[in-house]
Amino acid sequence: MKITDITLDRLRLELDPPFRAAWDPEPRRHFDATIVRVQTDEGVTGIGSGDRMDGFETYKPLFVGEDPLDITRHVRAIETANFHGAHYWPLEAALWDVIGKVHGRPVAELFGNAAKKLPAYASSGELKSPEERVATALEVRDAGFRAMKIRIDRNRIDEGVAAVRAVREELGEGFEIMVDLNQSWRMAGDTAHASDLAGTRKTVARLAELDVFWVEEPLPYADLDGFKRLGAENPGVRIAAGEMHRSTAELLRFLEEDALDVYQMDVVLAVGMHRARTLAELALLKHRQFTPHSWTNGIGLLANLHVSAGVGGGPFFEFPYDPPGWTPEHRDFMLAEPVRVNGDGDLEVPDGPGLGVELDEDAVDRWRIK
Ligand SMILES: [Mg+2]
């Protein structure tokens, strides 16, 4: 079997009204997605998405003509392209889609088949007042979710803690709350400093009093000792990070130092599916948790779901959802059907071959950047 071509569709969905995620320097007026298609000489097409794939044309000849099933070789080749190029992990997702289709099985089965579904948490994006955040929390609980992640802006700590407190008081102890401080990376153009360790220690102590399930990215990754210190000072709070770690070496160091309770490497942004599985299994062997970041689009979400369900990640899986601003219809605009949780708040692994991606080709045509 041979790869005959790899094509990219660059899509841009117009957002009206604009959506302002907590990590965006400006409200976003459009939502971009790049669709990767791996074509083969046997008529099997694999689909992936997630990262932008900027500059991939330079590296395409490394893959065309190769056997798509030689996945370890392709992972290594993507890692070498990473040196001068970008992170081409959506290509790996498309290759796993091919492999699943060739075997006639869901990709999660090839990754260990530990679970058929995972409980999802509603991962919010916007900064909202405590009243608005409670209203959204009630809405997502009614939709079946048993947990929600709330963002806190590093410059608006009091308001963010107030929103967490309001949700805790209104929804009670049975509803889990994660908090994301988003300190470990910056969107392009955001040159502000992260909060320092002293300030973050205070914030995490306040969140510990509210019995949050985890605190995510409380510090920049460079401060590994700070992560360990926060964990030691707050034994009842899980410390989570890793979504944007860009190398296996960085994550191995965090694992060796036992710096985190929850590892979150995104399989289409951070280190790919094959590497994430290895690192996730190391985390699980240490009795730590693996529950990946999945905030890209429905295809990236499914790639993360297959790996997480395959290795036995959890107990919660990120489901980007913050109505009315961010919905499955926005996130999955390129899919025939948006990915949704079932009535129990669980995300079920698609049982078809591959990743279970079905594109809406009319939407792809409509939103393709001409
Ligand atoms: Mg995060």
Side-chain angles (χ1 to χ4, degrees), residues 217-286:
E217 300 204 317
L219 295 166
Y221 293 148
D223 192 0
L224 185 148
D225 289 338
F227 277 95
K228 291 171 70 174
R229 184 161 179 174
L230 291 175
E233 288 177 349
N234 301 280
V237 176
R238 296 165 188 84
I239 303 296
E243 62 186 65
M244 300 292 183
H245 264 129
R246 292 303 203 182
S247 76
T248 51
E250 283 181 288
L251 282 157
L252 279 172
R253 183 151 172 265
F254 271 66
L255 280 161
E256 284 162 7
E257 294 277 338
D258 198 20
L260 302 174
D261 301 288
V262 184
Y263 288 81
Q264 300 180 293
M265 43 282 186
D266 188 312
V267 306
V268 291
L269 295 176
V271 291
M273 297 171 70
H274 188 66
R275 300 297 190 212
R277 167 170 54 183
T278 302
L279 294 161
E281 287 183 342
L282 288 172
L284 294 168
L285 285 167
K286 291 170 77 94

Side-chain angles (χ1 to χ4, degrees), residues 41-174:
D41 59 354
E42 296 186 17
V44 178
T45 300
I47 298 166
S49 189
D51 215 336
R52 296 172 56 93
M53 302 291 290
D54 288 349
F56 178 69
E57 287 298 320
T58 303
Y59 302 98
K60 183 168 144 178
L62 296 177
F63 303 95
V64 172
E66 299 290 327
D67 186 335
L69 306 186
D70 292 346
I71 193 68
T72 303
R73 181 265 170 205
H74 301 317
V75 167
R76 290 174 180 165
I78 291 169
E79 285 172 331
T80 64
N82 205 350
F83 185 65
H84 284 299
H87 301 91
Y88 301 125
W89 297 120
L91 168 61
E92 189 201 356
L95 289 164
W96 278 109
D97 192 37
V98 170
I99 296 167
K101 286 170 176 169
V102 167
H103 289 279
R105 308 304 308 166
V107 171
E109 290 193 12
L110 308 177
F111 275 72
N113 205 25
K116 298 290 188 194
K117 61 185 179 185
L118 294 172
Y121 70 87
S123 184
S124 73
E126 291 182 294
L127 300 173
K128 293 182 177 175
S129 70
E131 297 74 26
E132 291 170 318
R133 183 48 65 204
V134 166
T136 304
L138 291 169
E139 187 176 340
V140 304
R141 187 180 66 179
D142 287 347
F145 291 94
R146 288 160 272 166
M148 171 184 233
K149 187 161 82 189
I150 298 172
R151 314 278 169 172
I152 294 185
D153 186 291
R154 60 189 180 278
N155 298 314
R156 294 160 66 180
I157 299 291
D158 286 345
E159 184 183 323
V161 173
V164 174
R165 178 176 293 111
V167 172
R168 170 61 73 225
E169 288 173 356
E170 196 68 36
L171 280 83
E173 295 297 319

